Amino acid sequence: MDKDIYYMEKALTLARKGVGYTSPNPMVGAVVVRDDKIVGEGHHRYYGGPHAEVYALEEAGEKAFGSTLYVNLEPCSHYGKTPPCVFKIIESGVKRVVISMVDPNPRVSGKGIEMLKKAGIEVTVGVLEEKARNLNEVFIKNITNRMPFVYLKMAQTLDGYLATSSGDSRWVTGKKARQYVHRLRHRVDAILVGIGTVLKDDPRLTTRLSDGKGKDSIKIVLDSKLKIPLTANILNQENDAPVIIVCGHRVDSHKKKSLKQLKSVEVLSLDLNEYGQIPIKELLINLNKKGISSLLVEGGGRVNYSFLKEGFVDKMLFFIAPKLLGGSDGVSVFDGKGAEVMAKVKKLKKYKIEEIGEDILITGTL
């Protein structure tokens, strides 16, 4: 295997340790190599903390002089929560820097590379770039479009149903698939459901990983008429994870006031669209202003349909269980008017298929 690829794989593996902790910053790993030996490594551990290059160079110490630094994202050249990493790289005496991808931030893109080159450091860009871009797909979308990256997750039977006619959906998929979803919950900034899901299932939307670790993300409920009961599980939890209830302007003022008095609960009022529903674009704009860079939609058929119809789904995750409802009266994955001819159906691109326990997961983009 090419040495650059080998060591960049190491850097990417380190970067993945930051999953769920670095948002809205990217996940970055760094490896310092001298005489074909790793002498320093590190990853960005949490938002506002030291960057990966800092940890790696500090571990390497004097051995960084004359070494090669591998990092999956262009080192920063601007002041943010921490000083620019390029200064530390230059001061350390590193002779070569290998980078997977250029920083997608239009304000800083390429400037770090330029500074390194001016300091006489050899720079190589593009090693395992596709893997690096996939790892930081949320950061790329958020920094370039100023909108949250939206994951749409569905658990369905072979014949396309989320639940039976009675609304029973426990459990469509197996334990391993559900653990996968909890890892995804840990990764994102926020989880979104519709009021229908809250009224039927009364979920907590917490993150329950097998090792007991993981953070609880922000919970968002689309509730245009403010029907949510004050006793709902999502409103009465011991943790401090924020809850945002999104509604229209013409709702019960007393109910609205009561919700605002609850711990960690915010009520966001938006102008409803012509169908009396929450406008998805306006919702996402508001969530971005609140610092939410990634969103996991775990809605019912109507919520799923709204995000799909308005074109705000970045990645779809279909968990398909080897089960048949065996009728036509179940709860469909999408509740709305679909394409009339096959030539106009939506097609998944860059999709992959994998087995998750007893279920199949199809992941792709539109």
Side-chain angles (χ1 to χ4, degrees), residues 51-191:
H51 288 186
E53 301 94 318
V54 174
Y55 286 115
L57 291 170
E58 287 184 350
E59 183 178 302
E62 294 181 356
K63 293 179 181 179
F65 188 85
S67 68
T68 298
L69 171 67
Y70 291 86
V71 60
N72 58 291
L73 181 69
E74 175 184 3
C76 64
S77 58
H78 64 293
Y79 284 90
K81 292 281 184 180
T82 58
C85 289
V86 289
F87 294 160
K88 190 170 185 68
I89 295 170
I90 294 169
E91 291 169 2
S92 71
V94 167
K95 71 174 182 180
R96 180 174 179 242
V97 177
V98 182
I99 301 166
S100 289
M101 60 176 285
V102 176
D103 190 328
N105 188 337
R107 295 179 299 175
V108 299
S109 182
K111 292 181 180 178
I113 293 172
E114 183 180 350
M115 290 174 66
L116 292 172
K117 288 181 176 179
K118 283 185 177 180
I121 297 174
E122 180 186 347
V123 180
T124 301
V125 182
V127 177
L128 297 182
E129 181 176 0
E130 186 175 357
K131 283 190 175 182
R133 295 185 71 85
N134 289 338
L135 176 67
N136 278 310
E137 59 189 2
V138 169
F139 172 71
I140 295 170
K141 166 72 181 292
N142 191 244
I143 203 69
T144 55
N145 290 52
R146 300 297 176 186
M147 293 281 271
F149 189 99
V150 178
Y151 296 95
L152 179 58
K153 184 275 298 182
M154 291 147 288
Q156 65 179 70
T157 60
L158 277 173
D159 42 357
Y161 293 108
L162 301 173
T164 66
S165 57
S166 67
D168 180 31
S169 60
R170 295 186 179 180
W171 296 102
V172 174
T173 53
K175 186 175 181 179
K176 287 189 176 181
R178 297 199 297 275
Q179 269 296 299
Y180 188 107
V181 173
H182 282 288
R183 291 196 296 272
L184 188 55
R185 286 182 178 181
H186 163 72
R187 178 172 184 161
V188 299
D189 292 336
I191 306 164

Side-chain angles (χ1 to χ4, degrees), residues 299-356:
R302 290 186 180 181
V303 171
N304 292 345
Y305 179 76
S306 295
F307 274 86
L308 184 70
K309 181 184 178 183
E310 296 194 33
F312 291 108
V313 177
D314 293 293
K315 179 166 284 187
M316 306 188 80
L317 298 96
F318 288 89
F319 288 92
I320 304 175
K323 301 174 182 178
L324 289 168
L325 191 67
S328 60
D329 58 348
V331 179
S332 297
V333 173
F334 296 106
D335 185 359
K337 185 177 176 59
E340 294 185 357
V341 293
M342 289 303 295
K344 293 186 177 182
V345 300
K346 299 181 185 298
K347 298 179 181 179
L348 280 186
K349 298 179 180 179
K350 296 182 179 179
Y351 64 85
K352 66 176 183 178
I353 303 171
E354 56 187 311
E355 291 185 18
I356 308 292

Side-chain angles (χ1 to χ4, degrees), residues 144-364:
T144 55
N145 290 52
R146 300 297 176 186
M147 293 281 271
F149 189 99
V150 178
Y151 296 95
L152 179 58
K153 184 275 298 182
M154 291 147 288
Q156 65 179 70
T157 60
L158 277 173
D159 42 357
Y161 293 108
L162 301 173
T164 66
S165 57
S166 67
D168 180 31
S169 60
R170 295 186 179 180
W171 296 102
V172 174
T173 53
K175 186 175 181 179
K176 287 189 176 181
R178 297 199 297 275
Q179 269 296 299
Y180 188 107
V181 173
H182 282 288
R183 291 196 296 272
L184 188 55
R185 286 182 178 181
H186 163 72
R187 178 172 184 161
V188 299
D189 292 336
I191 306 164
L192 181 146
V193 297
I195 184 59
T197 296
V198 173
L199 294 177
K200 283 187 295 185
D201 300 336
D202 198 18
R204 294 183 181 276
L205 299 182
T206 52
T207 299
R208 302 182 296 279
L209 299 180
S210 56
D211 60 5
K213 297 180 181 180
K215 71 172 187 2
D216 283 329
S217 302
I218 297 169
K219 289 103 172 167
I220 301 170
V221 180
L222 300 189
D223 185 8
S224 59
K225 297 180 180 178
L226 218 55
K227 293 181 178 180
I228 189 168
L230 295 177
T231 56
N233 281 329
I234 201 171
L235 301 176
N236 298 278
Q237 299 185 44
E238 294 180 0
N239 60 54
D240 295 325
V243 178
I244 302 174
I245 310 298
V246 189
C247 63
H249 290 290
R250 296 181 180 180
V251 294
D252 186 327
S253 59
H254 296 293
K255 179 76 168 290
K256 189 174 182 179
K257 184 178 180 180
S258 296
L259 285 167
K260 287 184 174 181
Q261 291 175 342
L262 295 175
K263 182 181 179 181
S264 302
V265 175
E266 175 187 350
V267 179
L268 173 61
S269 298
L270 297 177
D271 291 325
L272 302 180
N273 61 22
E274 58 185 311
Y275 306 107
Q277 300 171 335
I278 305 295
I280 303 303
K281 183 177 181 179
E282 292 304 314
L283 168 67
L284 294 176
I285 290 172
N286 275 271
L287 295 183
N288 178 70
K289 290 178 181 177
K290 295 179 182 296
I292 294 174
S293 59
S294 56
L295 179 67
L296 173 61
V297 178
E298 293 195 49
R302 290 186 180 181
V303 171
N304 292 345
Y305 179 76
S306 295
F307 274 86
L308 184 70
K309 181 184 178 183
E310 296 194 33
F312 291 108
V313 177
D314 293 293
K315 179 166 284 187
M316 306 188 80
L317 298 96
F318 288 89
F319 288 92
I320 304 175
K323 301 174 182 178
L324 289 168
L325 191 67
S328 60
D329 58 348
V331 179
S332 297
V333 173
F334 296 106
D335 185 359
K337 185 177 176 59
E340 294 185 357
V341 293
M342 289 303 295
K344 293 186 177 182
V345 300
K346 299 181 185 298
K347 298 179 181 179
L348 280 186
K349 298 179 180 179
K350 296 182 179 179
Y351 64 85
K352 66 176 183 178
I353 303 171
E354 56 187 311
E355 291 185 18
I356 308 292
E358 60 198 76
D359 306 302
I360 294 172
L361 170 60
I362 300 178
T363 308

